[in-house]
Every structure is written in structure tokens, then in C-alpha cells.
Amino acid sequence: AADAVGTCLVAVDGGGTAGEADAGDGGGAAGEAEAVDDDTAGRGDRPVGYALVVGGGDTHLAELVVHPDHRREGYGRALVDAVVARQAPGTRVTLAVAADNDPARSLYESAGFRPLDRRPGFYESVDGCTDEAVVYGYDVPDANG
């Protein structure tokens, strides 16, 4: 059997506005932003976003996507919170985001992520220009703080 290389969390629209994340059990009430495991997302709720997490030891949030019609409704924050909540104490969660993506940077900073590094030319745009990335990190606290 192959080892898992990552996890995909899915945010589903329960039919109302976003609220708290309910990670993993698939039991979120209508009106909540619910982050669920990929194997429980087929319950009839509409997926509106996902987070792809990879890593062994430390964790990298490789992708976080929310459908444009559902942005600023709490789904992105619910996914970020669910990713962090699933990590063991002492784990570092990293991610890279375009330096000019102010909404995403604001989301990550509000969740406690801090800039660690800047990487010029990390992203290449369709017109051949390159875009700088900011690498963020979040160290999951241990039980003592």
C-alpha cells in the first residue's frame, strides 16, 4: 500500500452564510462553513472550496481555493483553521502566496501566519512576467502555550 502524501479538505455550502469550521465529522449545521475530509464530502452539500495539504513532519498548505461566488463568507478561514487544527503540536505549517495577493495575505496573517521569506520570480504569469511570493509559516503551539 502506498503512503498518503497529502490531505484534501473540502468546504461545503450548507445553504446559508459561513460560520465556524467543523473539521472532519461531516456534521456541520446548515449555514456553517464546514471543512470535511475528502471521503465525507459527497453528502449532497455543494463544495465551494478546498485546501490541499502535503508533507511528512512539517506541513505545507499547497493550495487553498474558494469559488469566487463564495469568497469573503468565511470558507477560506474555516479551511485554514481546519488545516492548523489537524496538526500535531510543534508542527510548522508553511505556504506561499503571491506578494500582491492582499486578500489572501490578510487571511493568513489574521490566522496567525507570519512572513518567513520572499521569493522573487516564484510565480510565472501567462505574459511571461514573474511574480514574487511571500512564504508564510505558522508554528502549532504545544499544549502549554
Side-chain angles (χ1 to χ4, degrees):
D3 290 333
V5 295
T7 301
C8 183
L9 300 176
V10 176
V12 296
D13 180 4
T17 58
E20 292 182 24
D22 183 3
D25 68 1
E32 291 183 342
E34 180 183 357
V36 298
D37 288 316
D38 55 352
D39 62 346
T40 60
R43 299 177 296 111
D45 294 315
R46 273 189 353 211
V48 296
Y50 70 90
L52 179 60
V53 183
V54 295
D58 285 341
T59 299
H60 183 70
L61 177 54
E63 294 182 24
L64 187 137
V65 177
V66 175
H67 188 280
D69 291 347
H70 293 281
R71 291 184 181 152
R72 306 203 56 81
E73 294 179 5
Y75 294 105
R77 180 58 184 260
L79 286 165
V80 169
D81 289 348
V83 167
V84 169
R86 292 171 160 271
Q87 306 311 309
T91 301
R92 175 169 277 180
V93 180
T94 60
L95 61 91
V97 62
D100 63 352
N101 188 343
D102 293 333
R105 293 186 62 195
S106 177
L107 166 66
Y108 299 130
E109 289 173 11
S110 75
F113 283 77
R114 298 290 169 244
L116 301 176
D117 193 17
R118 293 182 85 86
R119 297 198 179 146
F122 188 81
Y123 296 107
E124 187 171 338
S125 66
V126 291
D127 63 4
C129 296
T130 56
D131 293 314
E132 182 176 39
V134 178
V135 176
Y136 280 87
Y138 178 86
D139 294 318
V140 178
D142 62 25
N144 298 324

